[in-house]
Amino acid sequence: MARPWERKFLGYTVSVHRETRLRIAPESARRLADKVRELMRAGRGRSLAHTIKDLNPVLRAWITYFRLAQNKGMLEELDGWVRRRLRCLLWRQWKRPRTRQARLRALGLDAEAAWRTASSGRGPWHSAGSRMANVALPARYFTRMRLLSLLDTQRGLQCAR
């Protein structure tokens, strides 16, 4: 027989803290990540707006189901991870260092920082998580592109109760 915080029920688990809190089970977050990865693979040849349009219903349905969860940290982490996946998608679409530099310059980076970031020999995932990529493509950029934030949506749903 296992303790309550070692179990999961309907995708939720209970915290070990003094007061009982509902949390999202790690397996549920992993399944969301797998689904997002699958959508991202399909989005490599499409515009970012089209990919976000396909991604939003999945995120909305998932956070609507888990609206009762009380672990803000996991939602912040998932939001950041989704944005990094989108930056990675853009990095792959831009392909060449010259194109990357031009796009980064258009997004507000100075010439030297844009060239250093664009000509980095690291892979797309590393580049998408770099400080300069975060400066050029911050969270508000994706908000303007109408990417759904899991944390903000959950807060809105909890206020509506």
Side-chain angles (χ1 to χ4, degrees):
M1 190 137 241
R3 305 297 300 169
W5 51 85
E6 295 170 355
R7 298 269 187 182
K8 70 175 179 139
F9 182 70
L10 297 176
Y12 286 98
T13 187
V14 180
S15 69
V16 189
H17 299 293
R18 283 179 283 228
E19 60 184 61
T20 306
R21 291 185 173 183
L22 276 179
R23 296 175 14 155
I24 300 168
E27 294 86 6
S28 301
R30 219 169 297 126
R31 275 196 303 275
L32 173 69
D34 291 342
K35 193 173 279 193
V36 168
R37 275 189 202 98
E38 189 178 310
L39 284 170
M40 293 289 180
R41 278 189 202 103
R44 287 196 182 154
R46 297 182 294 178
S47 71
L48 182 64
H50 194 271
T51 303
I52 289 173
K53 189 179 139 204
D54 287 348
L55 188 59
N56 276 342
V58 172
L59 297 176
R60 186 175 290 112
W62 191 83
I63 197 57
T64 302
Y65 181 80
F66 288 107
R67 68 182 171 269
L68 300 175
Q70 298 167 321
N71 55 338
K72 179 178 109 172
M74 179 180 279
L75 295 177
E76 287 175 341
E77 192 176 307
L78 283 170
D79 273 340
W81 181 82
V82 168
R83 286 192 303 270
R84 186 171 179 178
R85 291 290 302 191
L86 290 170
R87 283 187 204 101
C88 189
L89 182 76
L90 284 174
W91 200 256
R92 282 189 172 108
Q93 286 179 353
W94 294 344
K95 290 185 182 179
R96 296 170 45 201
R98 249 191 335 219
T99 307
R100 290 174 179 162
Q101 181 195 19
R103 297 294 173 105
L104 291 171
R105 291 285 315 262
L107 290 167
L109 285 186
D110 62 273
E112 184 184 337
W115 178 248
R116 238 181 306 120
T117 305
S119 61
S120 167
R122 302 284 184 113
W125 182 250
H126 181 274
S127 298
S130 72
R131 192 171 67 80
M132 287 297 131
N134 280 303
V135 168
L137 297 162
R140 67 178 178 274
Y141 174 83
F142 294 107
T143 302
R144 280 195 307 261
M145 294 287 292
R146 301 194 188 285
L147 176 67
L148 193 79
S149 166
L150 295 172
L151 186 60
D152 293 343
T153 305
Q154 187 213 27
R155 285 181 179 156
L157 289 168
Q158 286 182 341
C159 289
R161 285 194 289 165

